[in-house]
Amino acid sequence: MFISQGARENTERERLSVVLAATLASATLFRFVELPTLVWGVRRILGSPLQLSFGGDWLLTLLMVGLVATGTFSLIESHPLHENQERPLVFSLITPTLGTLLASMLLIRAISWPVWLVTLLIGGVLIGLLMHLSYCAFSPDSPGYTSARTLLNIADYLLGFALASIILRTQERALITGPAMLALMGLLACDLLSASAVKWTREFSRKVLLFSGIIALLVSELAWVLGYWPVSAWTAATMLTLALYLLSGLSYQYLLGRMTHRVLWEFGVVAMIMFVLVLWIRP
């Protein structure tokens, strides 16, 4: 059945507005309602104490992430090319979900009402933009696919930097930060590699998951090493983002069958220049 461009845009706007309204209303509600914190008993692991706590902040994060994930799923299911999809739909949920995670963590850390209100407005714009880009980049045949996919790739690296900075600044034990970093980098690598302009097959999906897992493991190990180096969390997060860019870029070229000595030299030179700049600036 033929659906006009205007009808598609109206459907997208309606679903976006509903998701954003529910998400921002939930965040506002949790600002006024203080929930108790549940703390699980302390356990000694590897010779040091460890305890788990779950309170209103975590519940807010889970609620916002859940609303945006389900809302993005519903939005993309209404895409005109949904029936012809090759890339699994779940990969399209990664960037909006991580953007919502960042927005919720910044809301939790807001120290005053003006800061919280500005964070809420910026977070709403960020979530709406990422959902719209994910909708536009759902299929290579969609109008504006190339620009939307490029912006999503940039957003992945920026989200990786921001969330890695937050994880490193928590100064938790490696038993907590390690799995968090592994999951973050694995999800970002999955989104970056799954956007390859290659026909999806079972073998290709295995390669994407395998390469994503290897990238996540390597970047997590680098994060563990940087924990023993006297650098700021921003410097460490920049290096981790640089490692993600280098590894995912090389893996992407390999999946496309474009791996050559020239590509290796280009990525190597760019990575080296960025590494020297980071060491020189030391933010």
Side-chain angles (χ1 to χ4, degrees):
M1 182 176 63
F2 177 76
I3 302 177
S4 66
Q5 180 69 20
R8 291 198 298 267
E9 291 179 356
N10 289 335
T11 301
E12 180 192 1
R13 276 198 295 266
E14 290 174 0
R15 292 176 184 265
L16 265 177
S17 61
V18 171
V19 175
L20 288 177
T23 304
L24 298 183
S26 301
T28 304
L29 178 63
F30 274 80
R31 182 69 180 181
F32 293 96
V33 178
E34 184 175 352
L35 299 177
T37 300
L38 302 177
V39 180
W40 281 268
V42 177
R43 297 289 186 270
R44 300 192 70 83
I45 299 179
L46 300 178
S48 57
L50 177 69
Q51 70 177 15
L52 299 176
S53 60
F54 184 86
D57 292 344
W58 279 109
L59 186 58
L60 169 63
T61 299
L62 291 176
L63 179 60
M64 290 182 64
V65 168
L67 286 172
V68 171
T70 54
T72 305
F73 183 88
S74 174
L75 177 66
I76 293 177
E77 275 198 323
S78 66
H79 197 283
L81 301 175
H82 172 69
E83 298 298 331
N84 301 325
Q85 68 170 349
E86 291 187 358
R87 183 191 190 212
L89 191 150
V90 66
F91 290 114
S92 299
L93 310 182
I94 294 176
T95 307
T97 300
L98 291 179
T100 307
L101 176 62
L102 175 62
S104 65
M105 297 182 76
L106 293 178
L107 284 173
I108 292 171
R109 287 164 172 76
I111 57 177
S112 63
W113 271 103
V115 174
W116 180 88
L117 183 59
V118 171
T119 304
L120 181 68
L121 294 176
I122 295 177
V125 173
L126 173 65
I127 295 170
L129 178 61
L130 292 179
M131 290 180 63
H132 172 68
L133 291 176
S134 296
Y135 179 84
C136 294
F138 175 69
S139 172
D141 297 327
S142 301
Y145 168 82
T146 302
S147 57
R149 187 61 252 178
T150 301
L151 291 174
L152 282 176
N153 288 348
I154 296 174
D156 281 337
Y157 292 119
L158 293 177
L159 289 172
F161 168 77
L163 291 172
S165 300
I166 293 176
I167 293 174
L168 294 173
R169 289 176 67 88
T170 57
Q171 297 181 347
E172 293 284 352
R173 294 185 54 200
L175 190 63
I176 296 177
T177 59
M181 193 67 70
L182 183 71
L184 171 64
M185 295 303 169
L187 288 173
L188 290 173
C190 277
D191 185 56
L192 292 168
L193 297 183
S194 64
S196 302
V198 177
K199 185 176 181 179
W200 270 85
T201 61
R202 180 169 298 182
E203 181 182 358
F204 179 72
S205 62
R206 289 175 180 171
K207 287 182 178 180
V208 169
L209 294 177
L210 176 62
F211 279 57
S212 300
I214 293 174
I215 291 172
L217 183 61
L218 291 175
V219 178
S220 299
E221 289 180 347
L222 178 59
W224 176 70
V225 172
L226 290 174
Y228 295 94
W229 198 12
V231 295
S232 66
W234 284 17
T235 301
T238 303
M239 291 186 176
L240 294 177
T241 307
L242 179 60
L244 174 66
Y245 165 78
L246 178 63
L247 295 172
S248 61
L250 292 175
S251 300
Y252 184 84
Q253 295 299 321
Y254 175 82
L255 291 174
L256 293 179
R258 300 175 183 171
M259 182 63 73
T260 62
H261 288 90
R262 180 180 177 180
V263 170
L264 288 173
W265 274 106
E266 288 176 353
F267 275 94
V269 170
V270 171
M272 182 59 65
I273 292 175
M274 293 301 298
F275 179 74
V276 172
L277 287 176
V278 170
L279 290 181
W280 180 44
I281 299 174
R282 296 287 289 273

